[in-house]
Amino acid sequence: MHNGSETTGRTALVVIAHHRSDSLTAHTARRATAQLEAAGYRIDLLDLQAEGFDPRMTVEDQPEWGNRDKPYSAETQEHMRRILAADVVVTVFPVYWMSVPAILKGWIDRVWNYGFAYGRSKPRLAGKRILWLGLGGIAADDAALPDMQATLEAQLNTGLAYYSGFAHSSVGLLPNAEERRQRLDPAGNFYLDEAAAGAQRTAQYAEFDRRAAEFVEEFLAADRVAA
């Protein structure tokens, strides 16, 4: 099995989709980056907000179905280059309405474009691997959690990675991301738990970090093969 030194030379593109550098999302991305570095990956850190990425579609980046080789905008082409240079991609984002934030969706819409991510008999991204780490305020025991998992998997694994030729795509859904966990009762009423504090809060986020690290380790383990 390959160890960290044997995987040196591989590149991981870590994509952060959050507007605050002191957020739990940013914290989780930093920890994931450290795991990837420990496994021997070079890191290309793409903080969409910090880099000023504009998620709005433009005429220049709108697909032309009759021209799969359309020269998209310089910004989009640079992001395409970074994806092509990566062996694995790890995205870290808060879950909004059982989906990704607007800035990440806009990155997908503008960059994962016709002729690049899809629309060719042999996808340019074939063989790459991607992990989606989604932070949810939903409580871990909320009955809606399986639906959230299934929705994200359908959107990201099937609707995006499958059509883009990725060899592997997995969604690591992380509930209990909020100090006041959110839940719905069977009648659809919305409730907020009391804010976690003291030892309870420490334990909650220690478990959160553990589960996030576990998702990254499982993702890395799938990339290791017997010597």
Side-chain angles (χ1 to χ4, degrees):
M1 184 176 291
H2 291 300
N3 60 31
S5 62
E6 291 172 320
T7 59
T8 298
R10 294 169 64 79
T11 298
L13 177 64
V14 179
V15 184
I16 307 173
H18 202 284
H19 49 281
R20 283 188 8 234
S21 61
D22 62 347
S23 64
L24 184 60
T25 299
H27 164 82
T28 302
R30 287 191 292 268
R31 287 176 57 87
T33 296
Q35 277 185 267
L36 290 160
E37 287 180 322
Y41 284 87
R42 293 192 302 260
I43 303 299
D44 179 7
L45 184 63
L46 171 55
D47 185 328
L48 292 169
Q49 189 77 29
E51 293 195 17
F53 180 79
D54 187 346
R56 296 172 298 180
M57 179 59 76
T58 65
V59 172
E60 194 173 5
D61 288 327
Q62 183 178 354
E64 290 182 7
W65 306 116
N67 180 15
R68 70 183 63 189
D69 295 312
K70 174 183 176 178
Y72 295 109
S73 69
E75 180 184 29
T76 288
Q77 289 188 55
E78 174 60 16
H79 281 269
M80 290 175 175
R81 182 198 64 76
R82 292 170 75 172
I83 296 172
L84 285 174
D87 298 284
V88 300
V89 180
V90 177
T91 65
V92 192
F93 58 94
V95 177
Y96 292 164
W97 298 106
M98 292 197 181
S99 187
V100 300
I103 196 166
L104 182 55
K105 181 59 165 62
W107 184 68
I108 293 166
D109 289 346
R110 286 187 63 200
V111 179
W112 299 59
N113 218 329
Y114 178 68
F116 171 67
Y118 67 98
R120 295 180 182 274
S121 57
K122 183 177 181 181
R124 288 178 171 172
L125 306 182
K128 297 182 184 296
R129 305 173 66 255
I130 188 166
L131 171 64
W132 309 88
L133 282 179
L135 287 72
I138 187 171
D141 59 354
D142 193 303
L145 189 64
D147 289 337
M148 182 178 289
Q149 179 78 36
T151 298
L152 289 169
E153 288 179 349
Q155 293 175 10
L156 302 175
N157 290 346
T158 304
L160 183 63
Y162 171 76
Y163 279 105
S164 300
F166 273 74
H168 175 80
S169 175
S170 60
V171 173
L173 177 56
L174 295 161
N176 296 339
E178 300 286 350
E179 292 181 356
R180 301 184 66 187
R181 291 175 293 181
Q182 308 163 14
R183 65 184 70 244
L184 292 176
D185 69 12
N189 298 307
F190 179 74
Y191 295 96
L192 283 174
D193 289 354
E194 293 295 323
Q200 180 189 16
R201 184 182 188 281
T202 299
Q204 176 181 328
Y205 286 107
E207 173 62 13
F208 183 93
D209 283 347
R210 185 197 67 78
R211 295 189 67 252
E214 188 174 66
F215 280 131
V216 175
E217 177 54 34
E218 289 174 355
F219 178 71
L220 292 172
D223 201 31
R224 299 175 186 134
V225 296

